[in-house]
Amino acid sequence: MTNAMPAAATPQRLRSHNERLILWLIRRNGPMPRAALAQATGLSAQAVTNITRELIADGLLDAGGERQRGKVGQPLLPLALAPDGALFLGLKVGRRVAELVLVDFAGQIRQMRALPHAFPQPDAIRDFAVSASAELLAGLTEAQRARLSGMGIASPFYLWDWAREMAPWRGRDLREELAQALDLPVWLENDGSCACGAEMMFGTADLPEDFLYFYLAHFGGGGVVLDGRLRLGPSRNAGAMGSFPVPGGQQLLDVASVSTLESRLGRELPLEDESWDLPPATQRQWLDESARVLSHAALGTVAALDLPLVVIDGAMPATLRDALVAATAEALAGTRHHGVTLPEVRAGTLGRRARTLGAAALPLGAGFMPGGTFAAPRPPRLGQETEGAQPRSGDDR
């Protein structure tokens, strides 16, 4: 399966850098008045007014929010993302289930279809994606269909290495097959990278420009973010934290994964978080062993890259994820780390939605993010002057 990507496309036209920057600032900060956008971008008030008027006319921004009272002058009118401004399909290829979602411009999942399986097979995944896409799009108006930007796919790489049953994936190009079948632009990236990108784009926490990300599902993956950009590497497989070597001649996914926990239990865990019921002793053992290898991988990466934050998320109940975060932070503190500044360890905010949202974020980022998919400057804090900003004047209507 290859991961070549099409040229960026949008439902209307290619967006300029300043348009993308304004959309990104509003995405990360929430509704913003024009004065705050001018301050954050360094653009003149007139330039911001002209750009936002065009974005409103194109249906990407909504000026219908409540006015905010400033310190002086007239109330300020905040601009918000228009949910119907663009639509995106996201396909997650998982070990036990494939999911297809329709996501709007505000990052909300509007519809979902799922295909459980013993093992994902390329023909079945392709046919599911085609038929489920037709179902999701059938309920849209003609105007909504015109705003469909494309499909993103979040899939593990090297699927044929999982098991004998996965051999049919070798040599298949799911991205190209779906692009031809759907007549849409289609992007594909590693599922761990997509989960990390989703945390950057849709997560609710303020993130630094540099951090390490772990995502634990049936197996495991992750991402490395430097200077506000998710680094994919020359083979687009950077941040493959599940493959990180750990003591005992193992890889991280051999210890810190849902599949390992299921092996200890002798049964598969439900796909619904609220249905998990783990024996305390089994849970404690898994937490301790997972924290040990996560701290090992985190410390090695931080020693090389000097990262201030480690984010841990996964396809598991939030209570278990939070316990894993605490156990990993404790294990890190107990390691020999002379000469290394230990990072903060924090839970991710998207859980099971991360990989599927990350898939939908691929066309969103390609068409509407400054710098392209998963590559955007950190939004300046509101009230903080941007270096090189010019004096501003004008209204905020």
Side-chain angles (χ1 to χ4, degrees):
M1 176 163 45
T2 64
N3 55 335
M5 295 181 292
T10 70
Q12 296 84 28
R13 60 176 175 80
L14 294 177
R15 318 308 309 188
S16 72
H17 171 77
N18 286 335
E19 288 174 322
R20 291 169 179 246
L21 180 58
I22 285 173
L23 292 171
W24 169 240
L25 286 165
I26 295 173
R27 182 172 301 281
R28 291 306 298 160
N29 288 309
M32 297 175 65
R34 288 187 173 96
L37 289 168
Q39 181 183 22
T41 60
L43 297 170
S44 70
Q46 187 59 53
V48 169
T49 295
N50 292 338
I51 293 169
T52 54
R53 281 176 178 168
E54 191 156 349
L55 291 172
I56 291 169
D58 285 347
L60 297 173
L61 289 183
D62 182 0
E66 292 186 10
R67 289 183 178 270
Q68 300 174 351
R69 175 67 65 177
K71 293 182 180 179
V72 295
Q74 295 297 315
L76 306 180
L77 180 63
L79 303 176
L81 297 177
D84 277 332
L87 297 171
F88 316 93
L89 291 167
L91 173 66
K92 181 204 78 175
V93 180
R95 165 63 180 80
R96 292 176 54 195
V97 64
E99 293 176 346
L100 183 75
V101 294
L102 180 67
V103 174
D104 66 26
F105 196 50
Q108 297 301 308
I109 295 176
R110 294 198 170 183
Q111 296 188 66
M112 174 186 285
R113 297 291 186 273
L115 175 70
H117 43 233
F119 288 93
Q121 295 295 330
D123 288 346
I125 296 295
R126 179 201 58 211
D127 294 345
F128 162 72
V130 172
S131 61
S133 295
E135 290 180 19
L136 296 183
L137 300 183
L140 301 181
T141 65
E142 185 175 344
Q144 289 173 324
R145 288 177 65 97
R147 291 184 175 271
L148 181 66
S149 286
M151 173 186 283
I153 305 171
S155 173
F157 290 171
Y158 308 107
L159 282 166
W160 50 89
D161 282 344
W162 283 10
R164 293 192 307 273
E165 293 86 350
M166 307 295 289
W169 282 102
R170 188 181 296 273
R172 294 292 292 264
D173 187 346
L174 182 62
R175 189 207 67 79
E176 178 61 27
E177 291 178 27
L178 288 178
Q180 292 186 9
L182 298 172
D183 193 24
L184 285 172
V186 179
W187 290 256
L188 185 150
E189 294 292 354
N190 179 273
D191 60 336
S193 298
C194 287
C196 183
E199 187 67 38
M200 297 171 66
M201 194 176 296
F202 303 122
T204 58
D206 185 25
L207 296 169
E209 290 188 297
D210 309 285
F211 66 93
L212 174 65
Y213 178 89
F214 291 98
Y215 192 86
L216 304 186
H218 191 84
F219 295 123
V224 176
V225 177
L226 300 173
D227 300 322
R229 181 188 293 267
L230 177 61
R231 302 295 174 169
L232 298 177
S235 64
R236 310 193 77 81
N237 202 34
M241 302 310 298
S243 299
F244 199 99
V246 298
Q250 296 178 300
Q251 293 181 309
L252 185 141
L253 59 79
D254 296 322
V255 181
S257 64
V258 174
S259 62
T260 301
L261 181 55
E262 290 178 334
S263 295
R264 293 189 181 280
L265 294 169
R267 57 182 170 86
E268 289 188 341
L269 287 161
L271 297 175
E272 303 79 23
D273 291 343
E274 62 274 11
S275 300
W276 283 37
D277 182 19
L278 301 178
T282 302
Q283 175 173 309
R284 185 71 259 168
Q285 183 181 18
W286 182 81
L287 285 171
D288 289 344
E289 295 182 356
S290 296
R292 173 179 56 83
V293 296
L294 285 168
S295 63
H296 174 86
L299 186 61
T301 307
V302 169
L305 299 176
D306 191 25
L307 304 172
L309 175 68
V310 173
V311 177
I312 300 175
D313 207 347
M316 63 185 70
T319 53
L320 183 61
R321 179 194 60 200
D322 292 345
L324 182 59
V325 167
T328 303
E330 182 179 357
L332 258 177
T335 60
R336 185 174 185 272
H337 57 272
H338 296 83
V340 177
T341 301
L342 289 184
E344 175 190 359
V345 184
R346 187 192 301 172
T349 63
L350 298 177
R352 288 187 182 275
R353 297 178 296 152
R355 291 169 294 171
T356 313
L357 277 173
L362 291 171
L364 190 163
F368 300 96
M369 289 271 285
T373 300
F374 304 151
R378 183 183 181 188
R381 293 185 183 277
L382 299 187
Q384 181 180 30
E385 288 292 337
T386 302
E387 184 178 354
Q390 300 298 314
R392 292 169 291 274
S393 62
D395 61 25
D396 204 44
R397 293 175 292 178

